[in-house]
Amino acid sequence: MNKTDCSERVKRALSMVQLDKFRNRYPGQLSGGQQQRVALARALVFEPQLVLMDEPLGALDKQLREHMQMEIKHLHKRLGVTVVYVTHDQGEALTMSDRVAVFHQGEIQQIAAPRTLYEEPKNTFVANFIGENNRINGRLHSRDGERCVVELGRGEKVEALAVNVGQLGEPVTLSIRPERIRLNGASETCANRFSGRVEEFIYLGDHVRVRLEVCGKADFFVKQPIAELDPALAVGDVVPLGWQVEHVRALDPLLEAV
């Protein structure tokens, strides 16, 4: 490449990682996070067809990390670069990917688009690994095609999607996402209805995680947007709650770690 083209491409690559003002510094004059961004720029400056990235944003702060996620995603779309991206950050995987492969002990558990992986996990490991997940243990009571009824430890019955279940009477794990659970009046139209005792509120800015005791399970979480949270709700209150059949999946039983 001629000198002008080379300089322009270097400038563009450094700008992409927000280091154009540091272009004349030596490596020893950069922080660990800045050095990591230089390595990323070096990998992308040649506009290759395939890039393997192994947790490239691990040392960056949240704001810069999110910026770089979008930059890599846009570069992929603009240049057609295929990126094989290794990460243990589930949110990062869902944000950046066209397809996600979840591995466990060297075996692929599921390959799917991010939304499919989150909404339709094929087994308990994937459901637990990707995003938040309420797990309730029970036994398969009956099955009718794609739906089934699961009996819980205290005799309660839950109607669910039969995704990965065995024979009648065998143990299963129910998987329910916290944001799919409805509280108070919003639960009246739900097929599965129970009550829960409020144990704790965890404020997270745009939403609140409410920890309840439900069906004997003390760490059952409901995710409520701030605008939908009942301000009168308090610790110790017993409230009705529920979820639709299509939002609870009956999966293989959770194996305890040895």
Side-chain angles (χ1 to χ4, degrees):
M1 298 178 63
N2 63 55
K3 195 170 184 178
T4 301
D5 290 343
C6 182
S7 178
E8 181 61 31
R9 188 173 287 193
V10 168
K11 182 179 178 181
R12 189 165 61 246
L14 288 176
S15 177
M16 182 188 66
V17 296
Q18 297 186 353
L19 284 177
D20 42 321
K21 295 181 181 179
F22 298 83
R23 62 181 301 166
N24 294 319
R25 291 196 181 184
Y26 289 99
Q29 296 174 306
L30 299 174
S31 68
Q34 289 170 336
Q35 292 180 29
Q36 191 172 24
R37 285 147 64 191
V38 171
L40 184 59
R42 284 174 174 165
L44 298 176
V45 70
F46 297 105
E47 300 179 356
Q49 292 182 320
L50 173 66
V51 180
L52 171 62
M53 296 187 182
D54 189 355
E55 301 197 62
L57 309 181
L60 307 185
D61 61 48
K62 183 178 184 295
Q63 187 174 5
L64 184 56
R65 184 186 185 97
E66 291 175 351
H67 167 77
M68 288 305 306
Q69 288 173 1
M70 291 299 101
E71 287 292 344
I72 294 171
K73 192 170 184 176
H74 295 160
L75 185 77
H76 159 69
K77 291 182 177 179
R78 187 170 70 249
L79 302 178
V81 177
T82 297
V83 180
V84 179
Y85 198 99
V86 181
T87 179
H88 289 87
D89 185 326
Q90 296 94 327
E92 188 168 80
L94 295 177
T95 297
M96 299 185 65
S97 304
D98 298 307
R99 289 197 306 160
V100 181
V102 178
F103 284 77
H104 179 53
Q105 295 182 346
E107 294 185 358
I108 296 175
Q109 301 296 306
Q110 186 174 351
I111 300 179
R115 183 167 184 170
T116 300
L117 203 68
Y118 184 85
E119 298 285 355
E120 303 173 16
K122 295 296 185 184
N123 60 38
T124 297
F125 179 83
V126 175
N128 292 341
F129 188 76
I130 299 294
E132 287 190 78
N133 176 53
N134 287 306
R135 303 189 307 268
I136 304 178
N137 297 324
R139 292 189 176 274
L140 187 63
H141 180 268
S142 63
R143 180 172 184 177
D144 182 10
E146 295 182 351
R147 295 193 174 194
C148 66
V149 174
V150 174
E151 184 174 352
L152 307 184
R154 302 192 303 190
E156 307 98 326
K157 291 184 173 61
V158 175
E159 190 176 358
L161 297 179
V163 178
N164 186 1
V165 298
Q167 302 300 313
L168 298 185
E170 291 186 348
V172 297
T173 298
L174 294 176
S175 169
I176 316 153
R177 299 294 186 190
E179 66 274 12
R180 293 296 189 180
I181 300 160
R182 298 291 175 256
L183 294 178
N184 293 321
S187 68
E188 292 178 0
T189 60
C190 295
N192 296 295
R193 298 191 67 200
F194 300 92
S195 62
R197 183 183 301 277
V198 177
E199 300 290 342
E200 184 180 10
F201 294 95
I202 304 170
Y203 178 77
L204 293 168
D206 60 338
H207 71 277
V208 172
R209 293 173 72 227
V210 186
R211 182 171 66 85
L212 305 100
E213 181 182 351
V214 177
C215 299
K217 185 176 177 61
D219 56 348
F220 191 93
F221 286 94
V222 177
K223 189 179 291 185
Q224 284 271 284
I226 289 293
E228 298 178 13
L229 184 68
D230 181 358
L233 197 62
V235 172
D237 288 351
V238 176
V239 296
L241 56 86
W243 56 85
Q244 300 291 7
V245 176
E246 58 268 25
H247 295 150
V248 54
R249 301 170 71 81
L251 303 170
D252 50 301
L254 179 66
L255 298 178
E256 299 295 337
V258 177

